[in-house]
Amino acid sequence: MTTTPGFLDVAAAAKTFGAATVLDGVDLAVARGEFVSLLGPSGCGKTTLLRIVAGLIAPDGGRVVLDGDDITRRPPHRRDVGVVFQNYALFPHLDVAGNVGFGLKARGRKTAEIGPSVERHLDLVRMGAFADRPVKALSGGQQQRVAVARALAIEPKLMLLDEPFSALDRKLREAMQIDLKRILREVGTTAIFVTHDQDEALTMSDRIAVMHAGRIEQLGTPSEIYHRPATAFALDFVGLSTRLAGRVVSASGGEVVVETALGRIPARANLYPGSAAVVGVRPERIRLDAAGPCTVAATLTDVAFQGARVLLHGAAAEGDRVLVEAPSLPDGAGQGTRLTLSWALEDTLVFPAEGEAS
Amino acid sequence: MTGFRRLDPVSLLVAPAVGYLGLVYGLPLLLLLGHSFVVDGTPSIASFVRFFADPFDWMVIANTLRIALAVTLVSLVIGWPTAIALARAKGAAQAAILVAIILPLSVGVVVKAFAWQIVLRRDGVVSQALVWLHVWDEPQRLLFTETGLVVGAVNVFVPFMILPIYSVLKLVDPRLDEAAATLGAGPFFRFFLVALPLSLPGIVTGVAFVFSMAVSMYVVPSLLIGDRFQTLATLTGRSFLFMRNPQLGSTTAVVLLVLAVAVVVGSAKLSRRFGGAS
């Protein structure tokens, strides 16, 4: 993804609530038609960023530019930004069609125009048969669909979705994720999606912004985020990984060696000798042999059966973690078995420890 | 509610209240009704015919409705914004407003009415203040005027407007206003299409409370406007207590009951149609 001037451009957005800095000068550029997720734990500022783009809170500093218009100071009702709220926020005094038609009515459109639009958008979310139901009579998933249709009916330049599936059970959530992607692709709407669920972000997004403590730590495609996490936080937050704390003992020509509790591990990185570092390896990259070039030994402590694969947990020091994915439990292995683990040099991910200058 | 179900034992919990009200309220009401429809021992509507033939009685009905409507309207205009403020306030501010609304309920109506007598006199604080502000050239008496009556009655009844509206508003999700805004609705549109219909159930309850109390109030008009101004309630009282005419008293009581029920039920119906499904 090249950095073209964004369809949505957020520049240096900042917000503090009292003494707490919630957003610490965030930049975000989103291309037309793109689906970008803001992923992070609660309190990372992702919802605040979304609400600033929606115009529901004013930033202390920074700019929001949408389709060439600076909308930083524009009230929400003049932004053309559709929002799907976490609890849906459907109007309880209106029926399904009344909810979906609300935005067009607010824009002063004629009834003859509202009717067909409501019908089209309800069909899009497969809720056509429910037009005259009261919203209170709908299930959570159905309310979710109506909320999506309501936001789409205003034909917004930008869709913002604030953890829209967090109240749904897992099966329904996965079905809705696929459905929402299909709908947004059909309509061609640019969307920003807030979630704390990494699987959801990986499944749905064109790009993911991993947020932590009011900043975007990494912005990239799901594959980039997973395979090439930019920080130790991104490594931890997205996907599973072996994680070993250590210290750089030598560095030369773009390669370092990190001393960890399980031994010395080589990696490609530019870090100063003596600095604290974190080494990470994705579990599916680790082989149960000594082929190297990175080789360590660990004691098997736990086996988690996951259907098509097993996840092996190794003994690790406080704060460390050893995780290996294998097709099945090796013959004769059990708790306490000594395992030899190895992986390729390029699969060693290494980061300066948090709080350490790189 | 389809057909009969087996009696739920829990419904027996209302038995004491039903029994009590039936004995001390329902039975006398029936006797009263009976009284108004019986003349000289035979069933007759003669007393109603006589009542409606007298222009004085029409004036009493007009007085009653005019005062009750004014009290309800002023209570609504004052009470609704207060309820919004109360629902949006947090912590200590909310507690302070609630106490300010509820605490005065512990002062009896008679005490309040006597207090207003003093406040509304020619040399009372209101008159003095208005003269001092040059609104009035000389002290005037507000006591024994309709304005004085409405002012005093609103003071007594306004909590019954605020509390039902507040109890509805505090359950309204604040995100609904945000959702309406993101859908393109400006403040004016949001008020009439979201805030108003959502607070309507509370407004209907508040209006019903205040109107039914204001249409039937007896102590407040007796003390603040006196005998020269009659309402159905004070006329009913006079008929029984001074004129010794239970026939007229029960007739005016029935007229009052019908009027009050009609207005309360009618306004609820009207608002339900206006507010859509809620």
Side-chain angles (χ1 to χ4, degrees), chain A residues 51 54 56 76-77 81 83 85 87 89-93 102-103 105-107 136 150-151 154 162, chain B residues 173 175-187 189-190 193-194 197-198 275-278:
Chain A
R51 290 172 66 78
L56 297 172
H77 63 273
V81 170
V83 182
F85 292 85
N87 62 354
L90 296 177
F91 302 120
H93 59 295
F102 187 93
K105 204 171 162 194
R107 282 167 163 70
K136 281 182 224 160
R150 182 178 70 174
I154 64 170
D162 186 8
Chain B
D173 181 359
R175 300 259 149 153
L176 294 178
D177 188 59
E178 295 186 351
T182 61
L183 289 167
F189 200 86
R190 293 208 294 279
L193 269 97
V194 181
L198 288 175
S278 64

Side-chain angles (χ1 to χ4, degrees), chain A residues 144-178:
Chain A
Q144 184 59 74
R145 287 164 189 278
V146 173
V148 170
R150 182 178 70 174
L152 283 173
I154 64 170
E155 289 168 17
K157 289 179 176 168
L158 180 66
M159 275 284 272
L160 304 175
L161 302 108
D162 186 8
E163 309 219 19
F165 305 139
S166 59
L168 306 179
D169 66 58
R170 190 172 162 185
K171 272 253 160 65
L172 189 55
R173 192 163 64 220
E174 284 168 0
M176 286 294 298
Q177 288 166 8
I178 294 166

Side-chain angles (χ1 to χ4, degrees), chain B residues 37-44 247:
Chain B
F37 286 103
V38 173
V39 178
D40 300 328
T42 52
S44 160
Q247 187 73 52

Side-chain angles (χ1 to χ4, degrees), chain B residues 144-170:
Chain B
F144 307 129
T145 66
E146 285 191 33
T147 311
L149 173 59
V150 171
V151 168
V154 166
N155 169 245
V156 175
F157 298 131
V158 78
F160 299 97
M161 183 65 79
I162 297 171
L163 293 174
I165 301 180
Y166 160 66
S167 67
V168 167
L169 285 184
K170 79 174 176 199

Side-chain angles (χ1 to χ4, degrees), chain B residues 66-82 100-102 104-105 107 109 112-113 116 120 145-163 206-207 209-211 213-215 217 219-221 224:
Chain B
R66 189 172 62 247
I67 293 294
L69 281 175
V71 170
T72 309
L73 210 65
V74 175
S75 295
L76 181 63
V77 169
I78 294 173
W80 192 2
T82 313
I101 293 163
I102 293 174
L105 292 177
V107 178
V109 175
K112 271 187 197 149
W116 277 107
L120 297 174
T145 66
E146 285 191 33
T147 311
L149 173 59
V150 171
V151 168
V154 166
N155 169 245
V156 175
F157 298 131
V158 78
F160 299 97
M161 183 65 79
I162 297 171
L163 293 174
V207 164
F209 273 177
V210 172
F211 183 84
M213 286 190 291
V215 83
M217 61 184 174
V219 172
V220 179
L224 291 187

Side-chain angles (χ1 to χ4, degrees), chain A residues 55 63 67 84-85 107 118 123 126 135 161 168 179 187-188 198 210 223 239 291 304 316 320 323 328 331 336 350 358:
Chain A
R63 282 191 316 139
D67 200 12
V84 177
F85 292 85
R107 282 167 163 70
V118 167
D123 285 342
R126 301 203 193 111
V135 293
L161 302 108
L168 306 179
D179 237 25
V187 181
Q198 43 145 328
V210 179
S223 162
D320 283 358
L323 271 178
S328 61
D331 286 340
V350 65
S358 52

Side-chain angles (χ1 to χ4, degrees), chain B residues 12-201:
Chain B
L12 291 176
L13 290 174
V14 303
V18 169
Y20 173 79
L21 283 178
L23 200 65
V24 305
Y25 184 73
L27 201 62
L29 193 64
L30 277 178
L31 290 175
L32 192 76
L33 270 173
H35 230 305
S36 66
F37 286 103
V38 173
V39 178
D40 300 328
T42 52
S44 160
I45 56 162
S47 58
F48 287 95
V49 173
R50 206 179 313 135
F51 178 85
F52 286 115
D54 190 339
F56 173 79
D57 293 330
W58 282 102
M59 192 189 71
V60 171
I61 291 175
N63 285 349
T64 309
L65 290 179
R66 189 172 62 247
I67 293 294
L69 281 175
V71 170
T72 309
L73 210 65
V74 175
S75 295
L76 181 63
V77 169
I78 294 173
W80 192 2
T82 313
I84 294 172
L86 184 59
R88 297 220 175 139
K90 293 191 174 67
Q94 189 176 48
I97 303 176
L98 261 179
V99 166
I101 293 163
I102 293 174
L103 205 60
L105 292 177
S106 64
V107 178
V109 175
V110 178
V111 177
K112 271 187 197 149
F114 273 119
W116 277 107
Q117 276 199 336
I118 299 166
V119 171
L120 297 174
R121 283 197 310 227
R122 189 184 302 279
D123 57 349
V125 285
V126 172
S127 172
Q128 285 177 17
L130 289 173
V131 169
W132 187 77
L133 289 169
H134 298 288
V135 178
W136 285 350
D137 295 331
E138 53 185 34
Q140 289 184 38
R141 173 175 56 77
L142 272 170
L143 189 59
F144 307 129
T145 66
E146 285 191 33
T147 311
L149 173 59
V150 171
V151 168
V154 166
N155 169 245
V156 175
F157 298 131
V158 78
F160 299 97
M161 183 65 79
I162 297 171
L163 293 174
I165 301 180
Y166 160 66
S167 67
V168 167
L169 285 184
K170 79 174 176 199
L171 296 178
V172 172
D173 181 359
R175 300 259 149 153
L176 294 178
D177 188 59
E178 295 186 351
T182 61
L183 289 167
F188 187 76
F189 200 86
R190 293 208 294 279
F191 176 80
F192 281 103
L193 269 97
V194 181
L196 179 61
L198 288 175
S199 46
L200 213 53

